[in-house]
Amino acid sequence: YVLFFVSQWSYYVSAFTHILPEGLTYAQYAREGFFQLCTVSVFNAVLLFVLQAFMRRTPGERGLLRRTYAGIVSLFTLILISTALSKMMLYIDAYGMTQNRILATWMILLLAVIFILSLLHVFCKKFPLAIGIFITCALFLLILFLPNVDGMIADYNVDAYLSGDLSSVDVEALQDLDLAAVPALCRLEEHLQSQEVLDKKSALLLEETTAQLDRLAEQSNNADDGIFDFNIPISRAKQMLT
């Protein structure tokens, strides 16, 4: 691990300095980091499981060897997780949020917590690792499904554009968010319409935004929603479209 990180140091830490390595796009850099992390995490998790299950638990040197090895593996995995997270943040800063980028970030953070728990288990033998991982996964699922994540994605992209952090808004990408994107798109449309003079790029963005809102309004009018399809964000979006 030490030799690997030293030999690839500039590649892995460049995201911390907001520098994209030569020959890579933001998407390639983030995807490589994510899939490399998934592969290494699975491999390291299997190693830790084998170590925990088959190595004899005897006091003295063997116990110290098991704890040392597990601690080192968990620590280096956390270092790799931090580099993968920095690559994903660099990608989001450049092009905004999407559902796939949020899911990848969610997975990276989940792996980070799991290996932190694993590291804690190394130093505290009585810590119930399996229960901790189960509770962590349950909480992360609640975080993913309970909030209006799609609406948060749309709000982030529009806010980043209005603040100047993003040069444009990918309206086509917001199509996957459906009605959850309506409040953010309405704010974007109002902002663009309030401008006295629009350049060609802004005028095209206004046209795309209006077309997307019209499509969502038509989709909302034609939808036959049941009582179990009701939720507050969607209801608010439908009111804004009427």
Side-chain angles (χ1 to χ4, degrees):
Y1 270 116
V2 172
L3 292 176
F4 174 76
F5 277 118
V6 169
S7 64
Q8 302 291 326
W9 184 254
S10 61
Y11 171 80
Y12 280 101
V13 303
S14 61
F16 290 109
T17 58
H18 297 279
I19 297 176
L20 185 68
E22 294 183 4
L24 291 175
T25 64
Y26 287 102
Q28 290 173 333
Y29 193 40
R31 288 168 186 165
E32 285 183 3
F34 176 73
F35 288 112
Q36 288 172 2
L37 170 64
C38 290
T39 303
V40 174
S41 295
V42 170
F43 181 76
N44 286 350
V46 171
L47 286 179
L48 291 175
F49 174 77
V50 171
L51 187 69
Q52 183 73 13
F54 296 103
M55 192 169 187
R56 289 187 299 171
R57 299 184 181 183
T58 56
E61 293 184 359
R62 285 191 178 273
L64 178 62
L65 176 63
R66 180 175 59 84
R67 292 195 301 271
T68 301
Y69 183 83
I72 291 174
V73 169
S74 298
L75 181 60
F76 275 106
T77 308
L78 287 171
I79 294 174
L80 185 61
I81 287 173
S82 67
T83 62
L85 183 61
S86 66
K87 295 174 185 178
M88 190 58 64
M89 291 298 101
L90 185 65
Y91 189 21
I92 291 175
D93 289 342
Y95 294 107
M97 287 186 179
T98 63
Q99 289 178 326
N100 288 339
R101 292 166 202 167
I102 288 296
L103 288 173
T105 304
W106 176 85
M107 178 61 71
I108 293 172
L109 293 176
L110 176 60
L111 289 173
V113 176
I114 289 176
F115 277 94
I116 288 174
L117 295 178
S118 176
L119 194 60
L120 181 62
H121 180 68
V122 172
F123 296 101
C124 182
K125 298 179 181 178
K126 295 183 179 180
F127 179 76
L129 180 59
I131 296 176
I133 292 176
F134 175 80
I135 294 175
T136 298
C137 292
L139 291 176
F140 266 73
L141 285 174
L142 288 176
I143 292 173
L144 184 63
F145 292 118
L146 284 183
N148 181 23
V149 176
D150 289 346
M152 294 170 57
I153 293 172
D155 285 333
Y156 174 88
N157 291 340
V158 171
D159 290 339
Y161 170 74
L162 297 180
S163 64
D165 294 332
L166 286 178
S167 60
S168 184
V169 178
D170 190 349
V171 177
E172 292 185 2
L174 296 182
Q175 291 181 4
D176 296 333
L177 308 179
D178 291 330
L179 293 176
V182 168
L185 288 173
C186 287
R187 287 195 297 113
L188 178 60
E189 184 183 44
E190 291 175 1
H191 170 78
L192 294 172
Q193 289 177 342
S194 66
Q195 304 298 311
E196 296 182 358
V197 180
L198 291 177
D199 56 24
K200 185 176 181 180
K201 185 177 181 180
S202 298
L204 179 60
L205 180 60
L206 175 59
E207 181 181 345
E208 292 176 347
T209 302
T210 302
Q212 177 70 357
L213 286 171
D214 291 340
R215 186 190 70 83
L216 290 172
E218 182 180 357
Q219 175 183 321
S220 176
N221 293 332
N222 296 331
D224 185 18
D225 296 331
I227 187 173
F228 295 106
D229 296 320
F230 173 82
N231 64 66
I232 294 176
I234 298 302
S235 177
R236 178 190 173 198
K238 289 182 177 180
Q239 291 177 0
M240 298 180 71
L241 290 172
T242 56

Short mmCIF file of all heavy atoms in Angstrom, two decimals, residues 179 182-183 186 213 216-217 220-221 225 230-242:
data_model
loop_
_atom_site.label_atom_id
_atom_site.label_comp_id
_atom_site.label_asym_id
_atom_site.label_seq_id
_atom_site.Cartn_x
_atom_site.Cartn_y
_atom_site.Cartn_z
N LEU A 179 -40.96 16.08 -11.58
CA LEU A 179 -41.61 17.21 -10.92
C LEU A 179 -40.81 17.77 -9.76
O LEU A 179 -41.02 18.92 -9.35
CB LEU A 179 -42.99 16.77 -10.42
CG LEU A 179 -44.03 16.44 -11.49
CD1 LEU A 179 -45.31 15.93 -10.87
CD2 LEU A 179 -44.31 17.66 -12.36
N VAL A 182 -39.21 21.16 -10.45
CA VAL A 182 -40.03 22.31 -10.83
C VAL A 182 -39.71 23.58 -10.04
O VAL A 182 -39.53 24.65 -10.64
CB VAL A 182 -41.53 21.95 -10.71
CG1 VAL A 182 -42.41 23.20 -10.81
CG2 VAL A 182 -41.91 20.96 -11.80
N PRO A 183 -39.63 23.54 -8.69
CA PRO A 183 -39.33 24.79 -7.97
C PRO A 183 -38.01 25.43 -8.40
O PRO A 183 -37.94 26.65 -8.57
CB PRO A 183 -39.27 24.34 -6.51
CG PRO A 183 -40.14 23.12 -6.46
CD PRO A 183 -39.91 22.43 -7.77
N CYS A 186 -38.40 26.92 -11.92
CA CYS A 186 -39.19 28.16 -11.88
C CYS A 186 -38.32 29.32 -11.41
O CYS A 186 -38.42 30.44 -11.95
CB CYS A 186 -40.39 27.98 -10.95
SG CYS A 186 -41.71 26.94 -11.62
N LEU A 213 -40.37 23.11 -18.39
CA LEU A 213 -41.51 23.36 -17.51
C LEU A 213 -42.83 23.05 -18.22
O LEU A 213 -43.76 22.51 -17.61
CB LEU A 213 -41.49 24.81 -17.03
CG LEU A 213 -40.43 25.13 -15.96
CD1 LEU A 213 -40.36 26.64 -15.71
CD2 LEU A 213 -40.72 24.40 -14.66
N LEU A 216 -43.24 19.30 -18.23
CA LEU A 216 -43.62 18.81 -16.91
C LEU A 216 -45.07 19.14 -16.59
O LEU A 216 -45.77 18.36 -15.94
CB LEU A 216 -42.69 19.39 -15.85
CG LEU A 216 -41.24 18.86 -15.87
CD1 LEU A 216 -40.37 19.66 -14.91
CD2 LEU A 216 -41.20 17.38 -15.53
N ALA A 217 -45.52 20.32 -17.03
CA ALA A 217 -46.92 20.70 -16.80
C ALA A 217 -47.86 19.76 -17.55
O ALA A 217 -48.89 19.32 -17.01
CB ALA A 217 -47.14 22.15 -17.24
N SER A 220 -47.87 16.45 -15.80
CA SER A 220 -48.63 16.50 -14.57
C SER A 220 -50.13 16.46 -14.83
O SER A 220 -50.89 15.79 -14.12
CB SER A 220 -48.28 17.77 -13.80
OG SER A 220 -49.07 17.90 -12.64
N ASN A 221 -50.57 17.13 -15.87
CA ASN A 221 -52.00 17.15 -16.21
C ASN A 221 -52.50 15.80 -16.69
O ASN A 221 -53.65 15.44 -16.45
CB ASN A 221 -52.27 18.21 -17.28
CG ASN A 221 -52.04 19.62 -16.77
OD1 ASN A 221 -52.18 19.89 -15.58
ND2 ASN A 221 -51.66 20.52 -17.66
N ASP A 225 -52.70 10.08 -10.71
CA ASP A 225 -52.05 9.69 -9.46
C ASP A 225 -53.08 9.15 -8.47
O ASP A 225 -54.18 9.70 -8.32
CB ASP A 225 -51.33 10.89 -8.84
CG ASP A 225 -50.20 11.39 -9.73
OD1 ASP A 225 -49.64 10.55 -10.46
OD2 ASP A 225 -49.89 12.59 -9.69
N PHE A 230 -49.22 10.54 -3.28
CA PHE A 230 -49.14 11.92 -2.78
C PHE A 230 -47.90 12.10 -1.91
O PHE A 230 -47.56 11.26 -1.09
CB PHE A 230 -50.38 12.26 -1.96
CG PHE A 230 -50.29 13.60 -1.27
CD1 PHE A 230 -50.58 14.76 -1.97
CD2 PHE A 230 -49.89 13.69 0.04
CE1 PHE A 230 -50.48 16.00 -1.36
CE2 PHE A 230 -49.79 14.92 0.68
CZ PHE A 230 -50.10 16.08 -0.03
N ASN A 231 -47.21 13.22 -2.13
CA ASN A 231 -46.18 13.69 -1.20
C ASN A 231 -46.08 15.20 -1.33
O ASN A 231 -46.48 15.79 -2.34
CB ASN A 231 -44.83 13.00 -1.42
CG ASN A 231 -44.22 13.29 -2.77
OD1 ASN A 231 -43.85 14.43 -3.07
ND2 ASN A 231 -44.12 12.26 -3.61
N ILE A 232 -45.56 15.85 -0.31
CA ILE A 232 -45.58 17.31 -0.24
C ILE A 232 -44.78 17.97 -1.36
O ILE A 232 -45.27 18.91 -2.00
CB ILE A 232 -45.08 17.77 1.15
CG1 ILE A 232 -46.07 17.32 2.22
CG2 ILE A 232 -44.91 19.29 1.19
CD1 ILE A 232 -45.63 17.64 3.63
N PRO A 233 -43.53 17.54 -1.66
CA PRO A 233 -42.79 18.20 -2.74
C PRO A 233 -43.48 18.13 -4.10
O PRO A 233 -43.50 19.12 -4.85
CB PRO A 233 -41.45 17.45 -2.76
CG PRO A 233 -41.31 16.89 -1.39
CD PRO A 233 -42.70 16.54 -0.98
N ILE A 234 -44.06 16.97 -4.42
CA ILE A 234 -44.74 16.83 -5.71
C ILE A 234 -46.00 17.69 -5.74
O ILE A 234 -46.33 18.32 -6.76
CB ILE A 234 -45.08 15.35 -5.97
CG1 ILE A 234 -43.79 14.52 -6.06
CG2 ILE A 234 -45.87 15.21 -7.27
CD1 ILE A 234 -42.82 14.98 -7.11
N SER A 235 -46.74 17.74 -4.63
CA SER A 235 -47.93 18.58 -4.55
C SER A 235 -47.57 20.04 -4.74
O SER A 235 -48.27 20.79 -5.45
CB SER A 235 -48.63 18.37 -3.22
OG SER A 235 -49.75 19.21 -3.08
N ARG A 236 -46.50 20.47 -4.13
CA ARG A 236 -46.04 21.86 -4.28
C ARG A 236 -45.66 22.15 -5.73
O ARG A 236 -45.99 23.20 -6.27
CB ARG A 236 -44.84 22.11 -3.36
CG ARG A 236 -44.25 23.50 -3.47
CD ARG A 236 -42.94 23.57 -2.74
NE ARG A 236 -42.28 24.85 -2.98
CZ ARG A 236 -40.99 25.07 -2.77
NH1 ARG A 236 -40.22 24.09 -2.32
NH2 ARG A 236 -40.46 26.25 -3.01
N ALA A 237 -44.98 21.20 -6.36
CA ALA A 237 -44.57 21.39 -7.76
C ALA A 237 -45.77 21.52 -8.68
O ALA A 237 -45.79 22.36 -9.58
CB ALA A 237 -43.68 20.22 -8.19
N LYS A 238 -46.80 20.69 -8.43
CA LYS A 238 -48.00 20.75 -9.28
C LYS A 238 -48.71 22.08 -9.13
O LYS A 238 -49.25 22.64 -10.09
CB LYS A 238 -48.93 19.59 -8.93
CG LYS A 238 -48.42 18.23 -9.36
CD LYS A 238 -49.40 17.13 -9.04
CE LYS A 238 -48.90 15.78 -9.55
NZ LYS A 238 -49.85 14.68 -9.25
N GLN A 239 -48.74 22.63 -7.91
CA GLN A 239 -49.36 23.93 -7.71
C GLN A 239 -48.61 25.04 -8.46
O GLN A 239 -49.23 25.97 -8.96
CB GLN A 239 -49.40 24.24 -6.21
CG GLN A 239 -50.37 23.37 -5.43
CD GLN A 239 -50.33 23.66 -3.94
OE1 GLN A 239 -49.57 24.51 -3.49
NE2 GLN A 239 -51.16 22.94 -3.18
N MET A 240 -47.29 24.92 -8.53
CA MET A 240 -46.50 25.93 -9.23
C MET A 240 -46.70 25.86 -10.73
O MET A 240 -46.50 26.85 -11.45
CB MET A 240 -45.01 25.76 -8.89
CG MET A 240 -44.69 25.95 -7.41
SD MET A 240 -42.94 25.75 -7.04
CE MET A 240 -42.28 27.25 -7.78
N LEU A 241 -47.09 24.70 -11.23
CA LEU A 241 -47.29 24.54 -12.67
C LEU A 241 -48.66 24.98 -13.14
O LEU A 241 -48.89 25.16 -14.34
CB LEU A 241 -47.06 23.07 -13.07
CG LEU A 241 -45.62 22.55 -13.00
CD1 LEU A 241 -45.59 21.05 -13.23
CD2 LEU A 241 -44.74 23.27 -13.99
N THR A 242 -49.60 25.13 -12.20
CA THR A 242 -50.97 25.52 -12.59
C THR A 242 -51.08 27.03 -12.77
O THR A 242 -50.30 27.79 -12.24
CB THR A 242 -51.97 25.05 -11.51
OG1 THR A 242 -51.58 25.59 -10.25
CG2 THR A 242 -51.98 23.53 -11.46
#
